[in-house]
Amino acid sequence: MKLKYLFFAALASLGFTACSDFLDVDSVSKYDSEGVFGEKTEINRALNGVYAKLMSGDFYGDAYFTKFVFNSDVEFTTNTSDVATNNSFRRFDGNSTASDVEKFWNAAYSGVEYANNFVYYLERSPLYSTEDAEIMQMMGEAKVIRAMFFHDLVTYFGDIPFTFEPASVVENYVMPIVSRDEVYKTLIEDLKSIAPYMKFAANLSNGVERASKEFCWSMIARMAMHAGGYSLRPDTDNPANFGKMERPANYKDLYKTALAYCDSVISSATHTLSLPYYRVFVNECNYVVNSNDDPIFEIPFAKETSGNVGYVHGPKSELYEGSTSGDNIWGEAKSSAALSAFYRFMFDPEDARRDYLNGLWGYLYNGEPTISVSYTVYNNKWSKLWSTSGNPESAGNTGINFPYMRYTDVLLMYAEACNELGEDGTARTYLNEVRNRVKLPAVTSSGNELRKAIRLERRLELAWEQNRIYDIRRWTDDNGKKMICNLMGANGTFVKYNTDPATRDIYEWENQGEASDKGISFNENRDMVFPIPLYEITMSNGSITQNPGWN
């Protein structure tokens, strides 16, 4: 059953108002610990306010998978007519004055502020007790959502302003910049401490639409994997330098943490890969919530209110005079979140994912199918057209849930961590569990070849789930360079393949829906992180400095 909580009514009834601080977040006003947090019904309504922040169109509701998905060898969102602008981050252009990056930043910190307030006042509630399972579950949900926002801020911006204190209780509120290592360390310990008190998804009234024990464990693993990877860090010895690509000295310990918490998810036996690959996403498009299969946490968008999943994805659906008609009952689909044209050739011909994911057709307003003569490849993982019902006058706000965490991702993180730690036998077991679902033969390799197989599987399995660009940033290739540096930029293999007359193919070169030179603007001394919004730097009075390469 789809989540029916009235998030936005909850916000209004709680009287949330804005306060002024340099982050310019839509901060909640100071709670009354004995009012709002003196009754469980009111506490749950306040928690709904935290969930509501996940739905902002400036973050997870839209920008997360449109404006801030870099073009890569999997995803793309630009076309041949695109030009460089302040906001063109997806094509590796843009700058710190961009309005989109400021909105993105503010939406994330608004979510952080709501979560910080909830945690702070719940801890001071007269009802707070570690013996109360209901209270502790609500505390865990807020902490996991807070970790989501902070984790994604780190993946986008690197070192960030970070605190667990809400603005409402601090005078002259300015968040200090904290290194990503310390951010991850603090978040991981925070989730480790709350995980034992949380419930499994199957025991929650709305299943995987609520943050569960499995999701908490999975977030610990994801953050540990990212913390243990390479990232562009400020060069403290030479501030004028662009920075250094480094991984922390304790990266093996972080991989061990990831392995341990992936193992907790797997050992709990609460999730499986019983459903066929395509069915996972078709179910999401039909508002069917499966709490014991692949999805571990789905952002619970509300139909006709929030979320553009399946509107920017899937086959294009055109309008005529503001509506569709005849067999086309679904309305408009923009289909701007597409796949790189050559991506489908990375799949084994027997791979059950290939023909489901890679779409070469769209629909006219009357439902007549049309072949994509522009060679554009639509991302068919989700589509509003996969629903059994529709609205001919509809556009976005599909309400289709986004699977922020899947069991498949946990299995592949586990395989990667095992390979990094020399446990190749176990790595193969969980890699092959993913491959078995899509009818592929078992991988038998070891060492570096197994590492390549795991990385390829992530590329094929997780398209448009906001993983690829961050995977290739944290991985190193055999030549010692970051994978993204080998792929992107004027000399990157992916860019040169698509533009060199000796290698380019018709699917890329004559594809008018896809810029052939996508990725050419990538700059390895800049594009490992986004620029911090210039407004934030100005208002911080020197406490925040710009990321390398963005001055």
Side-chain angles (χ1 to χ4, degrees):
M1 180 178 68
K2 274 288 288 176
L3 186 58
K4 302 293 185 185
Y5 291 105
L6 300 178
F7 289 122
F8 301 104
L11 296 182
S13 67
L14 286 169
F16 288 178
T17 58
C19 68
S20 178
D21 60 82
F22 95 92
L23 282 171
D24 194 28
V25 298
D26 183 17
S27 174
V28 293
S29 62
K30 188 175 289 187
Y31 285 119
D32 177 354
S33 297
E34 295 185 6
V36 172
F37 284 83
E39 186 180 332
K40 284 187 178 179
T41 300
E42 295 299 315
I43 294 172
N44 190 60
R45 290 167 68 188
L47 180 60
N48 288 342
V50 178
Y51 275 94
K53 304 309 289 184
L54 296 173
M55 301 181 190
S56 169
D58 290 327
F59 208 79
Y60 295 117
D62 182 74
Y64 184 70
F65 43 78
T66 55
K67 297 174 182 178
F68 295 98
V69 172
F70 283 123
N71 290 327
S72 72
D73 54 351
V74 174
E75 301 101 348
F76 89 97
T77 58
T78 61
N79 56 55
T80 53
S81 62
D82 267 10
V83 295
T85 69
N86 290 353
N87 284 312
S88 299
F89 293 99
R90 57 194 182 188
R91 49 170 288 157
F92 298 104
D93 290 305
N95 61 49
S96 62
T97 64
S99 59
D100 283 347
V101 78
E102 185 173 324
K103 291 175 185 176
F104 193 72
W105 172 280
N106 286 343
Y109 275 107
S110 180
V112 165
E113 179 65 9
Y114 270 67
N116 277 348
N117 268 276
F118 183 89
V119 171
Y120 180 89
Y121 285 104
L122 183 55
E123 287 177 336
R124 289 157 178 78
S125 164
L127 300 182
Y128 181 75
S129 168
T130 57
E131 301 299 317
D132 189 318
E134 188 177 1
I135 289 290
M136 295 308 290
Q137 172 62 30
M138 288 191 282
M139 175 66 81
E141 291 179 48
K143 287 191 170 191
V144 175
I145 292 172
R146 177 170 67 184
M148 281 177 64
F149 279 114
F150 272 133
H151 165 68
D152 286 318
L153 281 163
V154 170
T155 61
Y156 283 108
F157 298 101
D159 298 347
I160 56 169
F162 178 77
T163 184
F164 284 167
E165 287 190 309
S168 58
V169 301
V170 181
E171 285 190 38
N172 302 316
Y173 184 66
V174 176
M175 275 195 200
I177 282 280
V178 177
S179 75
R180 69 208 69 188
D181 295 333
E182 189 61 32
V183 171
Y184 276 134
K185 178 182 176 182
T186 303
L187 291 173
I188 287 171
E189 290 304 316
D190 191 44
L191 295 196
K192 281 182 178 181
S193 66
I194 196 64
Y197 297 98
M198 298 186 72
K199 298 177 182 179
F200 290 116
N203 298 325
L204 297 174
S205 58
N206 295 99
V208 296
E209 292 185 314
R210 286 284 189 179
S212 64
K213 183 189 291 283
E214 306 100 295
F215 182 40
C216 185
W217 285 338
S218 301
M219 277 302 299
I220 293 171
R222 178 177 284 180
M223 291 190 293
M225 293 295 288
H226 279 261
Y230 285 88
S231 59
L232 183 65
R233 298 158 182 270
D235 186 347
T236 54
D237 297 326
N238 181 12
N241 190 12
F242 285 117
K244 298 183 289 187
M245 287 299 297
E246 294 179 333
R247 70 195 317 181
N250 67 333
Y251 73 92
K252 286 192 175 181
D253 292 332
L254 289 162
Y255 279 118
K256 290 176 183 177
T257 296
L259 188 152
Y261 282 90
C262 285
D263 184 69
S264 293
V265 177
I266 295 166
S267 299
S268 72
T270 55
H271 291 269
T272 66
L273 300 184
S274 299
L275 291 174
Y277 177 81
Y278 79 92
R279 178 52 62 185
V280 173
F281 309 104
V282 171
N283 279 349
E284 288 170 343
C285 296
N286 283 278
Y287 313 106
V288 175
V289 178
N290 293 298
S291 294
N292 58 0
D293 203 83
D294 196 359
I296 288 179
F297 178 70
E298 295 180 348
I299 297 177
F301 294 116
K303 192 174 183 180
E304 299 182 0
T305 302
S306 60
N308 280 336
V309 176
Y311 171 66
V312 297
H313 312 95
K316 188 177 183 64
S317 176
E318 300 178 359
L319 294 177
Y320 178 71
E321 295 184 347
S323 177
T324 57
S325 61
D327 291 337
N328 190 342
I329 62 171
W330 296 280
E332 182 183 33
K334 281 292 189 183
S335 308
S336 56
L339 294 167
S340 176
F342 197 68
Y343 176 60
R344 67 185 179 280
F345 296 105
M346 298 296 100
F347 290 86
D348 186 292
E350 302 302 315
D351 193 324
R353 296 169 295 201
R354 186 188 69 168
D355 294 338
Y356 172 71
L357 270 177
N358 296 275
L360 298 172
W361 72 94
Y363 294 92
L364 299 179
Y365 71 94
N366 61 1
E368 180 181 342
T370 59
I371 299 298
S372 175
V373 295
S374 70
Y375 299 103
T376 294
V377 181
Y378 297 121
N379 164 34
N380 283 353
K381 184 169 277 188
W382 306 275
S383 174
K384 61 191 290 188
L385 280 68
W386 303 161
S387 175
T388 57
S389 62
N391 177 356
E393 297 181 357
S394 69
N397 292 332
T398 62
I400 296 171
N401 285 355
F402 179 76
Y404 186 85
M405 182 71 73
R406 290 199 287 131
Y407 185 54
T408 317
D409 194 0
V410 171
L411 294 173
L412 292 174
M413 286 192 290
Y414 194 55
E416 182 181 343
C418 285
N419 175 253
E420 288 285 340
L421 296 170
E423 300 176 21
D424 284 354
T426 307
R428 284 192 295 270
T429 296
Y430 293 105
L431 169 62
N432 288 330
E433 185 172 342
V434 176
R435 291 172 61 83
N436 180 64
R437 179 172 65 169
V438 294
K439 313 304 181 187
L440 291 179
V443 167
T444 59
S445 57
S446 299
N448 195 43
E449 291 306 308
L450 177 58
R451 179 177 295 113
K452 291 177 181 178
I454 294 167
R455 291 178 175 184
L456 175 61
E457 204 65 32
R458 288 187 65 83
R459 181 182 179 188
L460 302 179
E461 175 71 26
L462 301 171
W464 275 106
E465 295 179 48
Q466 278 296 61
N467 284 281
R468 182 60 179 170
I469 196 70
Y470 306 107
D471 281 347
I472 63 178
R473 275 177 173 173
R474 67 184 177 88
W475 288 338
T476 297
D477 270 337
D478 292 345
N479 64 358
K481 292 188 69 174
K482 304 288 96 46
M483 184 179 284
I484 191 172
C485 299
N486 284 327
L487 288 169
M488 300 297 173
N491 295 313
T493 56
F494 177 68
V495 175
K496 292 185 74 173
Y497 179 86
N498 295 333
T499 56
D500 190 328
T503 57
R504 70 191 187 204
D505 67 273
I506 192 171
Y507 297 102
E508 293 284 355
W509 192 250
E510 296 190 14
N511 181 356
Q512 294 305 301
E514 180 176 351
S516 298
D517 64 351
K518 57 191 175 298
I520 198 169
S521 299
F522 171 78
N523 180 344
E524 64 182 273
N525 293 320
R526 179 195 66 195
D527 291 323
M528 297 298 182
V529 287
F530 281 150
I532 294 174
L534 182 61
Y535 171 80
E536 305 301 337
I537 293 172
T538 303
M539 295 299 291
S540 73
N541 295 320
S543 68
I544 297 178
T545 57
Q546 188 54 274
N547 279 328
W550 288 103
N551 288 311

